[in-house]
Amino acid sequence: MAEALILAEASPGEVRTALLLGGRLTEAWVERPARPDGVGDLHRGRVVAISPAVSGAFVALAGNETGFLPESAASAPRQPIKQAVQEGQILGLRVMRAAQGGKGPRLSALLTDAEAALIAAAPQGAPRLAARGPCAIQRLAARYPQAEIRISGAALVARLRAVLGDRVQAQHGAVFDEELEGEFASLTESAVALPGGGELHIQTTRALTALDVDSGGASDSLARFNEMALPEIARQIRLRNLSGAILLDVAGLSAKRRQALLEPLRAALAPDKLARLVGLTGLGLIEMVRDRIHPPLAEILHTPLAEGLAALRQAARDAAARPAERLMLEARPEVIAALRDLPGTLDEYAALTGHALALRAVASGTAQIREVPRD
């Protein structure tokens, strides 16, 4: 197995975590601690409706959220949903899939003894959050027990050391170098450069994700070009946390010649335990499926909040370089509102820099950091 390195960098309102295998970015996570995605959270919930039509029940959770408990995760051995639960029943639950794509979280009532004990120990009443699930750093640390962990951000270091002990190394200043920053920034783009020339285009709909390979000015034969592209395609699927149905249209090639790409693609996908190759569709598209657990990066990065947090991260760097200057964020009203709505974010910036960040709403344009004019 390639040597693993876990890097995490905290900035006001956000933690970005990178998994490098053999020196190459393999997984990228962007989390907002004040608003976690909830996977692994333990709840005491109340059943509010049973729906045999969709083989499950809807459950009220803390925070005015409603989750879905599928029949298959309601009881062991499996029972029809009407026999497994009743309306009004209080259940101990674990979130096994985050809310995403306009749907609420997916739940399981099949708990370990340790999980059941944590829920039982929480204050009574329902709905109630009993315990938070692990963050990306903790999940990666469990999967890669020999990995070095380097973290920037004093509060984050203290919190993770309480869980992971001396594995956590504090790093002053930036953990991400310029190359890694560039790779994270590129994850907002829908086009990816491929080896040998050409591009991979990524389009996500509510139903599926479509991947289209454009050979562009590739110098190799199409068969060779497509085969060389497969490892990067598999890497981008994992990096961006694409999930659900995924269809890949390679460049050119007859259906028969596309068949020859299946085994190389299966090998490229093998390190990603969430992804499975299904085969070729009747139209010659390569069909894959990847388990939905955490939201795809596109849902996290293409929002007014993401724009505001990126500007706040830059403002914190500018403030460290010019501590005497007061800074101002100019942004669209929806960006400023998103920052104000994320609990503690602006206070965290002020505590980090020693100055409150001035905010100014403008009608259009991307967020900008400016110096506050002196009187």
Side-chain angles (χ1 to χ4, degrees), residues 207-245:
L208 55 85
T209 297
L211 308 179
D212 179 65
V213 176
D214 180 357
S215 63
S219 56
D220 285 311
S221 70
L222 282 179
R224 175 65 177 157
F225 166 74
N226 282 301
E227 185 169 352
M228 286 178 59
L230 297 180
E232 182 61 21
I233 292 170
R235 174 174 174 261
Q236 289 295 325
I237 290 171
R238 187 173 175 183
L239 266 180
R240 295 164 183 262
N241 200 30
L242 303 179
S243 55

Side-chain angles (χ1 to χ4, degrees), residues 252-313:
L253 301 186
S254 65
K256 182 177 180 180
R257 297 182 73 189
R258 292 179 181 219
Q259 188 76 33
L261 296 176
L262 294 184
E263 285 311 310
L265 179 55
R266 196 186 308 277
L269 291 171
D272 183 356
K273 302 308 179 185
L274 302 181
R276 299 181 298 283
L277 178 63
V278 178
L280 282 179
T281 71
L283 295 175
L285 302 175
I286 298 175
E287 184 178 2
M288 296 166 275
V289 64
R290 192 167 185 272
D291 294 346
R292 295 184 187 272
I293 300 177
H294 299 274
L297 272 184
E299 283 194 18
I300 299 169
L301 297 179
H302 294 151
T303 64
L305 178 59
E307 182 180 341
L309 290 172
L312 212 59
R313 184 166 61 249

Side-chain angles (χ1 to χ4, degrees), residues 3-4 42 77 86 92 99 129 149 157-158 167 195 204 225 227 247 266 275 328 341 370 375:
E3 183 178 355
L42 299 177
Q86 298 177 345
L129 174 65
I149 304 171
V157 168
R167 288 186 65 189
T204 298
F225 166 74
E227 185 169 352
L247 293 180
R266 196 186 308 277
M328 173 173 61
D341 287 346
R370 305 189 187 281
D375 295 334

Side-chain angles (χ1 to χ4, degrees), residues 13-283:
E14 191 168 73
V15 176
R16 296 178 302 156
T17 302
L19 170 68
L20 278 66
L21 294 180
R24 195 170 193 209
L25 180 62
T26 303
E27 293 186 21
W29 298 94
V30 178
E31 298 175 306
R32 285 77 189 251
R35 198 175 291 159
D37 69 20
V39 174
D41 285 359
L42 299 177
H43 286 263
R44 189 180 291 119
R46 179 183 292 109
V47 178
V48 294
I50 296 173
S51 179
V54 293
S55 300
F58 295 94
V59 182
L61 303 175
N64 296 317
E65 195 167 32
T66 300
F68 180 71
L69 175 64
E71 186 175 83
S72 59
S75 64
R78 181 173 172 175
Q79 297 176 303
I81 192 64
K82 281 192 170 183
Q83 296 178 23
V85 299
Q86 298 177 345
E87 287 189 15
Q89 183 177 353
I90 307 300
L91 294 174
L93 300 158
R94 180 184 66 255
V95 176
M96 58 181 182
R97 191 177 84 183
Q100 53 191 287
K103 297 180 180 179
R106 182 162 292 196
L107 310 170
S108 175
L110 307 178
L111 307 175
T112 65
D113 291 344
E115 290 169 338
L118 280 172
I119 295 172
Q124 294 300 302
R128 183 178 296 279
L129 174 65
R132 283 288 182 201
C135 68
I137 302 167
Q138 293 168 277
R139 297 193 302 269
L140 292 173
R143 283 165 46 202
Y144 298 91
Q146 303 305 315
E148 184 179 345
I149 304 171
R150 300 180 199 159
I151 299 178
S152 174
L156 183 62
V157 168
R159 179 167 66 83
L160 269 298
R161 273 189 175 158
V163 180
L164 300 174
D166 292 340
R167 288 186 65 189
V168 174
Q169 301 177 25
Q171 183 161 322
H172 299 291
V175 173
F176 290 8
D177 60 18
E178 186 175 342
E179 181 180 353
L180 193 53
E181 286 284 3
E183 289 202 76
F184 262 75
S186 72
L187 294 173
T188 64
E189 305 296 330
S190 61
V192 179
L194 291 172
E199 288 184 322
L200 173 69
H201 296 273
I202 303 168
Q203 297 292 331
T204 298
T205 71
R206 290 180 67 90
L208 55 85
T209 297
L211 308 179
D212 179 65
V213 176
D214 180 357
S215 63
S219 56
D220 285 311
S221 70
L222 282 179
R224 175 65 177 157
F225 166 74
N226 282 301
E227 185 169 352
M228 286 178 59
L230 297 180
E232 182 61 21
I233 292 170
R235 174 174 174 261
Q236 289 295 325
I237 290 171
R238 187 173 175 183
L239 266 180
R240 295 164 183 262
N241 200 30
L242 303 179
S243 55
I246 302 171
L247 293 180
L248 169 64
D249 188 13
V250 298
L253 301 186
S254 65
K256 182 177 180 180
R257 297 182 73 189
R258 292 179 181 219
Q259 188 76 33
L261 296 176
L262 294 184
E263 285 311 310
L265 179 55
R266 196 186 308 277
L269 291 171
D272 183 356
K273 302 308 179 185
L274 302 181
R276 299 181 298 283
L277 178 63
V278 178
L280 282 179
T281 71
L283 295 175

Side-chain angles (χ1 to χ4, degrees), residues 312-325:
L312 212 59
R313 184 166 61 249
Q314 185 59 52
R317 291 171 179 162
D318 292 350
R322 306 192 305 275
E325 299 291 344

